[in-house]
């Protein structure tokens, strides 16, 4: 048997043969080849993911389900997850991105949650590079067209430009849905004697073996053996959402599972394995778009906009009626049985048969060797004193604000409907995105962030910093972090140094989650992000969700008032390591990011939350990319006010103004509340920066610019 | 140098889901067009190109298709050239 | 006041409009499925909401305009009943020819979502009576095909009869090239039919009807309708 | 009854600004296609219709255009019929 043709490794083949007690046939091998691909099986990372803390008071559903769920209070939960669609987006940017958005929405829907908000993480190559314009415009249009049509607002995101993504852009799609805790639909509750129902679009030859495709490096001449790409139909998805939620409200489904990678096989075997039942499927019952499809093609088709339902026979008629009303195809394709046998029939003949647990859990894990990169320490060398100070500070600040990764992303998010569903309190363009929940006081806040440059320099510290950035932003806004989801975008794990970097990143992220009691409730892994041109930067993307008890306890950004006192809270000495400033000046990423300080981070979050809740500040913003100077400039432009800032400098001016890292935030505080503010931050480094006044931004005598000349996102009124 | 009027017809490859065609077909049926068997929707692009010969105009049009107009993974196209 | 919101497959602002009307006015609002042949008895106002009816495939609003419920909607409009099309709903109204013109792909052919300033051109409609003439209001837009277009003679006729109700403008109320987000002729954002009972507009008043969402300029829109109907009753 | 393959070409009327065409034209220019004079983007709809004669197939197609496929205010169309 030539198992390698199907992407199966020898030990995997042997494991399969042993579990079956016979030679697997071709159809089975094809199925295993896809189901045991990295994308579906997590065989290289499963054991690493165990390092993440995933328990907590507020965790309703942790990793292992379609998405995680956290408790928002009063019987309501937020289901959320982020997922990659990197490889498809590299090959067919528009369709790849669109189907990425559609896919994550179905993950959320599978829990019975109504999808209410999306965010997108975009990682593009250098702006001037040949393909970047085409890839970025296609991906952005794809995200927009799908999300807009399906009626789920895109409320925020993250966009990074770096040459390492030239050939291998990343698209990570995040979605969040709301569900009553007593109405969560599980994929683990099927019982023998129930019907397996396929709802949604017809099955065609789209994206067959797409999951396996996502598990190899991109090669230049991939054109020939490219799987036919999936086409998204947001119109069908919108109908599918409404139909599934209606089925759930009428309690007509026992269990539900979206069809993502590896289509019918993946979804049905997962339900069978998790529920502990067997399943018999008759593939001739599957509504097909192309008449002559072979069973393995039906098994692995990644046609979009389909859901798998488990239904009690007595409810079938009602289920069909709902499907008809929404003009969706709906067919019984099999039934659940006692035991754990999973078998596929085609025209009465058995074409594949194995224990249900084999496809999901049977793949032997791979422990790739890890080795600390030889040149890691070399990259830390950075003697700041040898760097010349900027000659023109105004110009430096202005250029920094125009750096692609820091510049306004308006051209992107203006293409996204960020307001549909009328819940968006703060949409894209703000440090955190905030939604209200109709009929309740509570607000949900969310952030998506990443810091690949620091992860590249020191993966442990960078991983911790990336997580910390999201939590700091939430805390400053007054949102108590409830949990996070992550997408681990990395190059091939088969390279020991790259594997080590990934492992350290995960450890760093885990350490920060632990320190801030922010558990990981869901996530996704995307490996093999490299091409002949090289590997991407290590890019863990973090999406963190928090809750604000009421509007009154939300602290906005960009709301300076004339006469307010400006403070920086947090350790005063940041670092130029991996900073946008250094990247801009030198075109090269170097230095050692700051050490991760768990107690300081926790202390920051505690005080920031209290600052927002007690209403002692007019405006607040965590300091992140571009450092303090960029944070000040953003607050000024958004507020439409200037400031005079002048303070003692404990280190080099550029380090303090443009350095990054650590738990820091910028607050503007009304004069009358200054004593309260100070007492709140007692025991934490606090630096008075100056005053909000006038229309000029003046910083320590070196920067002096009229605020209305700073690049700023649009302000209508 | 003559100006050539080039007509490009772009359609989805067979087997690729035609979301628009499907919706339009349904709508035409509901309007009573029962004799309709199928619908496929594509793009009709007209180019006006300066070139020395018909052949060169065609070649240029094909290059524009490859460069931008057509996504070869899901679409196929044909070209017709007309003198002006 | 009884309101019916038509839901086409692919509508996605239907619930937003239902909520805005209920929340602002506290009056009865019903959802009506596109497959129905009738709208509820005694309906005062029919709303065609925003979204992507039938995926907006082929042309925006084209298939919705031909769906079963539309005959009843058209009859309602012809009888003088209030009929409002927002965004996709405006596109549907032009496709049914209840309103003149067509909505083409934006000047920059991309979807655009953001708050916009509008000048209220006419307060002599049931939808705008509570605004001041020339008042500048802020409603968000969210569309890819909002470039209002019609033949020159019809445009002139429309302007001459005062059929333009909203125009994109800047903060000072000037209609300029820069304040026009989609290239619509004469900066037109919303129009009313000759009978004065059918209004179509691209911007979304339902997204500007609550302070927490960043604006309340849309509330007067709903209140205008309400008070017009009250007056008609007495 | 034969099945006829009908090709419908839809384009914006002259005088109606084709913003998509303009955008594509700009992109093609920036990709170095200097000989390109103009671009116009329209739709290419294929219909498969059962009919007794070519003429009847054409008539039905035209009716579908009037009923749904074409908006006469902004668009014009032409039809070609092919036997199968
Ligand atoms: N791809 C995107 N989609 C939607 N919103 C985005 C996207 N990228 C950035 N944004 C929004 O733009 C703002 C700035 O984004 P970001 O790149 O994270 O810069 P910052 O350093 O200010 O956090 C944020 O409000 C974010 O939500
Ligand atoms: Mg951010």
């Amino acid at each position: 048997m030539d198992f390698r043709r199907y992407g199966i490794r020898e030990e995997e083949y042997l494991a399969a043969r042993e579990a079956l007690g016979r030679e697997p046939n071709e159809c089975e091998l094809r199925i295993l080849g896809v189901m045991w691909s990295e994308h579906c099986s997590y065989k290289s990372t499963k054991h690493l993911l165990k390092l993440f803390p995933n328990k907590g008071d507020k965790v309703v559903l942790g990793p292992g389900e379609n998405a995680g769920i956290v408790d928002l209070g009063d019987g309501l939960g937020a289901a959320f997850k982020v997922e990659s669609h990197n490889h498809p987006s590299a090959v067919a940017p528009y369709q790849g991105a669109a189907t990425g958005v559609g896919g994550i929405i179905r993950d959320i829907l599978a829990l019975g949650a109504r999808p209410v908000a999306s965010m997108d993480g975009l990682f593009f190559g250098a702006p001037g590079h040949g393909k970047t314009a085409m890839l970025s415009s296609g991906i952005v249009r794809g995200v927009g067209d799908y999300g807009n049509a399906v009626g789920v607002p895109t409320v925020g995101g993250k966009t990074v430009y770096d040459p390492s993504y030239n050939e291998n852009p990343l698209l990570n799609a995040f979605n969040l849905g709301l569900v009553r805790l007593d109405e969560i639909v599980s994929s683990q509750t099927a019982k023998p004697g129930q019907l397996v129902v396929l709802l949604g679009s017809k099955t065609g030859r789209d994206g067959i073996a797409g999951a396996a495709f996502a598990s190899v490096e991109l090669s230049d001449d991939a054109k020939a053996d490219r799987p036919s790409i999936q086409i998204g139909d947001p119109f069908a998805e919108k109908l599918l959402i409404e139909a599934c939620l209606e089925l759930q409200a009428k309690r007509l489904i026992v269990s539900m599972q979206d069809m993502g990678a590896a289509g019918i096989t993946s979804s049905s075997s997962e339900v069978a394995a998790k529920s502990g039942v067997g399943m018999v499927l008759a593939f001739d019952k599957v509504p097909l778009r192309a008449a002559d499809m072979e069973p393995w093609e039906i098994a692995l088709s990644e046609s979009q906009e389909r859901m798998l339902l488990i239904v009690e026979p007595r409810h079938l008629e009602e289920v069909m009626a709902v499907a008809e009303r929404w003009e969706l195809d709906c067919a019984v394709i099999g039934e659940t049985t006692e035991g754990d046998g999973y078998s596929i029939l085609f025209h009465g003949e058995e074409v594949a048969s194995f224990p249900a647990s084999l496809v999901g859990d049977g793949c032997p894990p791979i422990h790739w060797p890890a080795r600390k990169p030889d040149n890691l320490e070399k990259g830390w060398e950075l003697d700041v004193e040898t760097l010349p100070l900027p000659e023109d500070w105004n110009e430096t600040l202005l250029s920094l604000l125009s750096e692609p990764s820091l510049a306004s992303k308006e051209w992107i998010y203006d293409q996204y409907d960020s307001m549909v569903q009328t819940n968006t309190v703060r949409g894209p363009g703000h440090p955190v995105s905030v939604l209200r929940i109709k009929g309740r006081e509570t607000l949900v806040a969310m952030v998506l962030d990443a810091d690949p440059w620091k992860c590249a320099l020191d993966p442990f510290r960078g991983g911790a910093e990336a997580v910390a950035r999201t939590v700091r932003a939430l805390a400053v806004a007054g949102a108590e972090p409830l949990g996070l989801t992550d997408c681990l975008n990395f190059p091939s794990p088969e390279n020991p140094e790259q594997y080590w970097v990934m492992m350290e990143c995960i450890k760093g992220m885990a350490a920060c989650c632990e320190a801030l009691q922010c558990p990981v409730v869901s996530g996704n892994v995307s490996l093999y992000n490299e091409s002949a041109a090289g590997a991407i930067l290590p890019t863990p993307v973090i999406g963190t969700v928090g809750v604000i008890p009421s509007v009154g306890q939300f602290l906005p950004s960009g709301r300076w008032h004339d006469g307010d006192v400006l403070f920086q809270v947090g350790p005063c000495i940041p670092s130029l390591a991996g900073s946008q400033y250094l990247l801009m000046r030198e075109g090269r990423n170097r230095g050692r990011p700051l050490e991760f300080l768990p107690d300081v981070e926790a202390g920051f979050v505690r005080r920031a939350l209290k600052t927002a809740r007690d209403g002692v500040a007019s405006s607040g913003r965590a300091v992140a990319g571009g450092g303090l100077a960029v944070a000040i400039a953003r607050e000024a432009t958004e507020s439409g006010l200037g400031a005079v800032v002048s303070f003692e400098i404990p280190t080099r001016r550029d380090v303090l103004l443009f350095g990054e890292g650590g738990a820091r935030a910028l607050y503007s505080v009304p004069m009358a509340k200054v004593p309260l503010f100070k007492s709140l931050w007692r025991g934490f480094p606090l630096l008075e920066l100056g005053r909000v006044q006038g229309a000029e931004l003046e910083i320590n005598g070196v920067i002096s610019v009229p605020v209305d000349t700073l690049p700023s996102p649009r302000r209508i009124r | 140098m003559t100006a050539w009027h080039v007509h490009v017809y772009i359609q989805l490859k067979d087997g690729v889901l035609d979301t628009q065609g499907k919706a339009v077909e349904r709508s035409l049926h509901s309007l009573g067009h029962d004799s309709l068997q199928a619908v496929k929707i594509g793009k009709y692009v007209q180019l006006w190109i300066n070139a020395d010969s018909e052949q060169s105009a065609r070649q240029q049009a094909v290059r524009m298709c490859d460069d931008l107009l057509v996504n070869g993974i899901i679409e196929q196209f044909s070209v017709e050239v007309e003198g002006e | 006041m009884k309101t019916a919101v038509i839901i086409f497959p692919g509508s996605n602002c239907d619930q937003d409009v239902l909520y805005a009307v209920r929340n602002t006015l506290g009056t009865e609002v019903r959802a009506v499925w596109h497959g129905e042949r009738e709208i509820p008895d005694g309906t005062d106002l029919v709303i065609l909401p925003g979204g992507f009816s039938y995926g907006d495939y082929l042309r925006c609003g084209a298939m919705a305009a031909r769906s079963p419920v539309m005959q009843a909607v058209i009859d309602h409009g012809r009888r003088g009943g209030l009929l409002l099309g927002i965004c996709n709903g405006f596109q549907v109204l032009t496709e049914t020819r209840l309103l003149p013109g067509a909505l083409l792909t934006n000047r920059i052919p991309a979807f655009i979502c953001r708050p916009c300033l509008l000048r209220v051109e006419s307060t002599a409609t049931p939808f705008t009576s509570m605004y001041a003439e020339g008042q500048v209001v802020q409603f968000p837009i969210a569309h890819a095909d909002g470039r209002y277009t019609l033949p020159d003679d019809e445009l002139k006729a429309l302007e001459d009869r005062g059929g333009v109700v909203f125009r994109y403008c800047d903060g000072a109320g000037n209609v300029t090239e820069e304040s026009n987000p989609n290239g619509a002729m004469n900066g037109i954002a919303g129009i009313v039919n000759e009978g004065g009972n059918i209004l179509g507009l691209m911007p979304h008043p339902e997204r500007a009807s609550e302070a927490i969402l960043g604006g309340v300029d849309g509330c007067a829109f709903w209140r205008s309708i309400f008070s017009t109907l009250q007056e008609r009753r007495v």
Side-chain angles (χ1 to χ4, degrees), chain A, chain B, chain C:
Chain A
M1 221 1 118
D2 186 7
F3 47 83
R4 284 187 191 84
R5 265 186 65 198
Y6 309 111
I8 294 176
R9 297 148 51 89
E10 181 159 13
E11 67 242 58
E12 291 162 5
Y13 166 73
L14 295 173
R17 202 174 61 178
E18 169 154 358
L20 292 176
R22 61 175 166 82
E23 277 295 321
N25 66 28
E26 186 190 323
C27 182
E28 289 163 345
L29 279 178
R30 284 186 190 271
I31 289 174
L32 287 180
V34 174
M35 291 299 298
W36 286 4
S37 68
E38 187 61 49
H39 186 79
C40 291
S41 73
Y42 293 87
K43 58 191 170 191
S44 301
T45 52
K46 223 174 205 172
H47 57 289
L48 292 179
L49 299 179
K50 294 208 178 93
L51 297 170
F52 287 136
N54 57 27
K55 304 232 157 37
D57 303 350
K58 298 289 165 64
V59 178
V60 178
L61 212 59
E65 269 287 355
N66 287 306
I69 299 183
V70 295
D71 191 345
L72 297 175
D74 289 332
L76 195 69
F80 60 93
K81 187 180 179 193
V82 62
E83 203 161 67
S84 65
H85 226 216
N86 301 337
H87 284 60
S89 302
V91 176
Y94 178 85
Q95 291 297 347
T99 50
V101 172
I104 190 66
I105 287 176
R106 287 191 300 282
D107 265 312
I108 300 307
L109 179 62
L111 294 166
R114 175 173 284 279
V116 298
S118 290
M119 300 195 284
D120 59 329
L122 308 178
F123 297 79
F124 297 137
H129 179 77
K131 281 189 187 170
T132 302
M134 187 269 288
L135 288 171
S136 60
S137 72
I139 289 173
V140 168
R141 268 194 312 119
V143 171
D145 282 1
Y146 203 100
N148 298 344
V150 87
V152 178
T154 304
V155 299
K158 176 76 192 174
T159 310
V160 160
Y161 291 84
D162 185 272
S164 74
Y165 307 108
N166 279 354
E167 304 292 326
N168 198 139
L170 306 180
L171 165 85
N172 288 186
F174 169 102
N175 190 265
L176 179 140
L178 296 177
V179 58
R180 288 181 47 98
L181 295 179
D182 55 3
E183 289 181 356
I184 295 171
V185 178
S186 166
S187 60
Q188 318 189 351
T189 41
K191 299 255 163 16
Q194 295 170 331
L195 303 175
V196 182
V197 173
L198 187 52
L199 176 70
S201 299
K202 289 187 168 50
T203 298
R205 280 203 182 85
D206 331 48
I208 286 175
F213 171 57
S215 308
V216 293
E217 294 155 30
L218 285 173
S219 67
D220 274 343
D221 52 73
K223 209 163 189 166
D225 56 11
R226 261 170 210 164
S228 105
I229 204 88
Q230 307 104 297
I231 303 291
D233 183 356
F235 172 53
E237 179 107 333
K238 170 72 175 154
L239 303 179
L240 191 62
I241 293 175
E242 299 305 332
C244 288
L245 292 176
E246 184 177 334
L247 289 171
Q248 173 214 27
K250 294 182 168 163
R251 308 206 178 252
L252 296 175
I253 37 185
V254 177
S255 204
M256 176 155 61
Q257 177 75 32
D258 64 290
M259 277 186 218
I264 298 182
T265 312
S266 168
S267 55
S268 58
S269 65
E270 250 172 71
V271 170
K274 286 186 190 165
S275 306
V277 297
M279 208 176 265
V280 181
L281 300 180
F283 272 9
D284 20 55
K285 302 277 171 53
V286 175
L288 297 182
R289 221 169 58 231
D292 55 343
M293 287 176 71
E294 293 191 43
W296 70 269
E297 292 180 307
I298 299 170
L300 300 176
S301 158
E302 293 184 7
S303 286
Q304 301 290 295
E305 291 91 25
R306 299 178 299 163
M307 292 291 263
L308 188 90
L309 314 176
I310 305 294
V311 173
E312 288 281 6
R314 66 195 155 88
H315 288 143
L316 182 64
E317 212 170 306
E318 277 181 88
V319 170
M320 291 289 185
V322 171
E324 192 177 325
R325 183 173 128 85
W326 292 102
E327 299 180 10
L328 294 168
D329 274 308
C330 185
V332 176
I333 62 165
E335 57 186 34
T336 53
T337 58
E338 298 279 353
D340 90 325
Y342 176 91
S343 72
I344 298 174
L345 307 179
F346 195 57
H347 299 306
E349 240 173 82
E350 188 170 86
V351 292
S353 160
F354 31 69
S357 55
L358 180 70
V359 263
D361 290 330
C363 183
I366 312 178
H367 293 265
W368 298 105
R371 192 179 70 238
K372 185 172 162 186
D374 291 336
N375 55 5
L376 192 73
E377 270 108 357
K378 188 128 201 325
W380 293 346
E381 286 167 13
L382 171 62
D383 180 3
V384 173
E385 295 311 324
T386 64
L387 276 182
L389 281 167
E391 273 166 25
D392 182 341
W393 291 78
N394 282 343
E395 170 23 51
T396 302
L397 175 62
L398 287 169
S399 331
L400 195 54
L401 288 168
S402 312
E403 278 293 291
S405 295
L406 288 180
S408 164
K409 306 304 183 308
E410 223 168 57
W411 78 269
I412 297 175
Y413 59 69
D414 272 5
Q415 297 186 49
Y416 301 161
D417 190 337
S418 54
M419 308 174 195
V420 63
Q421 297 194 17
T422 54
N423 294 319
T424 310
V425 177
R426 283 292 183 282
H430 298 276
V432 299
S433 306
V434 181
L435 296 192
R436 61 96 176 261
I437 303 170
K438 290 192 178 95
R440 292 172 191 250
E441 291 238 313
T442 317
L443 306 177
V444 188
M446 62 199 90
V447 190
L448 193 74
D449 213 339
D451 194 337
W453 298 284
K454 297 193 185 65
C455 291
L457 293 172
D458 184 324
F460 183 92
R461 293 180 178 189
E465 171 73 12
V467 171
R469 272 172 72 150
T470 63
V471 176
R472 290 173 204 146
L474 287 176
V476 169
E480 178 199 348
L482 301 179
L484 65 80
T485 180
D486 67 284
C487 189
L488 301 171
N489 306 278
F490 286 89
S492 167
E494 298 173 27
N495 170 320
E497 295 193 343
Q498 292 176 358
Y499 184 80
W500 184 87
V501 165
M502 172 164 72
M503 195 173 72
E504 287 298 304
C505 255
I506 291 172
K507 287 181 184 164
M509 292 164 67
C512 186
C513 292
E514 202 75 67
L516 298 178
Q517 289 171 23
C518 187
V520 176
V521 300
S522 61
N524 178 246
V525 179
S526 169
L527 302 181
Y528 298 95
N529 289 292
E530 56 184 278
S531 66
I536 63 157
L537 294 175
T539 313
V541 171
I542 324 288
T544 307
V545 173
V547 66
I548 306 173
S550 70
V551 184
Q553 299 178 58
F554 165 54
L555 176 61
S557 58
R559 287 286 190 279
W560 283 358
H561 292 310
D562 210 10
D564 280 357
V565 183
L566 296 175
F567 290 97
Q568 176 191 260
V569 298
C572 290
I573 309 204
S575 158
L576 291 185
S579 67
Q580 291 296 309
Y581 170 77
L582 197 63
L583 280 162
M584 174 180 83
R585 298 266 324 256
E586 296 202 307
R588 145 173 111 98
N589 189 26
R590 64 181 181 125
R592 183 164 201 206
L594 294 182
E595 188 183 351
F596 171 64
L597 304 170
D599 296 341
V600 175
E601 291 291 344
F604 174 90
V605 168
R606 209 167 49 240
R607 291 179 176 88
L609 279 173
K610 193 137 173 46
T611 304
R613 306 242 156 126
D614 292 358
V616 293
S618 353
S619 183
R621 176 183 294 262
V623 175
L628 179 62
V630 165
I632 294 175
R634 292 211 170 134
E635 285 288 278
T637 47
E638 281 174 35
S639 308
L641 288 171
V644 176
V645 170
S646 148
F647 50 91
E648 280 300 302
I649 299 206
T651 178
R652 255 175 62 133
R653 222 177 243 154
D654 56 347
V655 174
L656 187 65
L657 287 178
F658 303 121
E660 298 181 13
R664 286 185 301 150
L666 172 67
Y667 281 106
S668 106
V669 183
M671 191 62 104
K673 298 210 166 143
V674 166
L676 263 176
F677 180 82
K678 283 186 169 163
S679 77
L680 247 168
W681 285 89
R682 189 167 299 135
F684 210 74
L686 184 72
L687 183 65
E688 186 170 328
L689 298 174
R691 244 359 143 72
V692 175
Q693 65 179 71
E696 257 325 88
L697 188 58
E698 287 177 31
I699 304 181
N700 274 29
V702 293
I703 292 175
S704 170
V705 281
V707 170
D708 59 11
T709 63
L710 290 169
S712 75
R714 165 204 63 244
R715 280 181 67 84
I716 288 282
R717 241 186 221 174
Chain B
M1 286 288 248
T2 335
W4 303 84
H5 183 181
V6 183
H7 307 257
V8 181
Y9 310 102
I10 306 174
Q11 57 175 327
L12 288 171
K13 285 184 178 169
D14 288 330
V16 175
L17 175 65
D18 178 11
T19 54
Q20 298 209 51
K22 211 176 57 175
V24 169
E25 189 178 313
R26 207 177 282 167
S27 186
L28 284 170
H29 280 155
S30 77
L31 289 172
H33 293 284
D34 300 328
S35 59
L36 180 71
Q37 299 304 298
V39 180
K40 218 170 151 176
I41 296 195
K43 283 184 210 121
Y44 169 39
V45 179
Q46 296 174 77
L47 306 169
W48 284 266
I49 299 176
N50 276 344
D52 290 328
S53 67
E54 176 174 335
Q55 199 199 348
S56 143
R58 177 182 303 274
Q59 279 170 353
Q60 292 189 49
V62 169
R63 230 175 302 127
M64 293 181 206
C65 287
D66 290 340
D67 281 1
L68 179 74
L69 299 174
V70 176
N71 178 347
I73 298 169
I74 49 175
E75 294 170 326
Q76 60 192 47
F77 67 97
S78 63
V79 170
E80 253 171 45
V81 184
E82 203 182 295
E84 277 239 316
Chain C
M1 163 176 167
K2 281 192 186 163
T3 305
V5 176
I6 310 294
I7 305 185
F8 302 103
S11 292
N12 64 28
C13 301
D14 44 330
Q15 298 306 317
D16 302 0
V17 169
L18 281 158
Y19 181 85
V21 172
R22 248 182 224 138
N23 191 53
T24 320
L25 304 177
T27 58
E28 185 187 332
V29 196
R30 290 249 227 117
V32 176
W33 186 239
H34 72 120
E36 307 282 324
R37 302 264 164 194
E38 277 165 32
I39 49 177
D41 270 350
T43 297
D44 299 297
L45 167 69
V46 174
I47 304 180
L48 308 180
F52 290 72
S53 56
Y54 297 84
D56 269 358
Y57 297 139
L58 192 67
R59 284 187 318 279
C60 302
M63 287 186 266
R66 288 143 179 97
S67 66
V69 76
M70 282 309 291
Q71 196 50 55
V73 171
I74 291 168
D75 292 345
H76 171 85
R78 294 243 164 90
R79 277 197 307 270
L82 297 188
L83 176 53
L84 166 64
I86 304 170
C87 198
N88 196 227
F90 185 13
Q91 294 161 343
V92 174
L93 288 176
T94 60
E95 280 283 342
T96 57
R97 307 282 191 268
L98 284 170
L99 290 176
L103 292 145
L104 290 170
T105 302
N106 295 347
R107 173 177 44 200
I108 296 169
F111 191 91
I112 179 162
C113 170
R114 60 163 150 107
C116 263
L117 297 179
L118 310 172
R119 192 171 75 196
V120 181
E121 299 288 279
S122 164
T123 55
T125 83
F127 307 90
T128 52
S129 57
M130 313 234 340
Y131 293 106
E133 195 91 37
Q135 186 180 340
V136 175
V137 296
Q138 181 179 313
F139 294 178
I141 55 163
H143 60 250
D145 302 84
R147 179 167 50 107
Y148 185 69
T149 304
L150 76 179
D152 288 341
D153 50 334
E154 288 182 45
L155 178 63
K156 184 163 182 309
L158 176 72
E159 293 281 8
D160 288 349
R161 71 169 166 83
V164 177
V165 182
F166 293 103
R167 248 186 262 274
Y168 303 107
C169 68
D170 65 15
N174 301 312
V175 176
T176 63
E177 181 95 348
E178 298 80 61
S179 61
N180 183 336
N182 55 28
M185 287 183 168
N186 295 0
I188 294 172
I191 59 168
V192 71
N193 68 334
E194 281 197 69
N197 61 315
I198 305 178
L199 180 103
L201 79 172
M202 287 314 293
H204 289 270
E206 80 277 16
R207 297 185 181 190
S209 298
E210 272 177 285
I212 193 173
L213 304 180
V216 292
D217 287 354
C219 293
F221 189 87
W222 312 115
R223 291 212 192 91
S224 299
I225 300 172
F226 184 79
S227 80
T228 303
L229 289 167
Q230 292 295 103
E231 281 164 27
R232 279 194 190 173
R233 292 239 154 77
V234 272

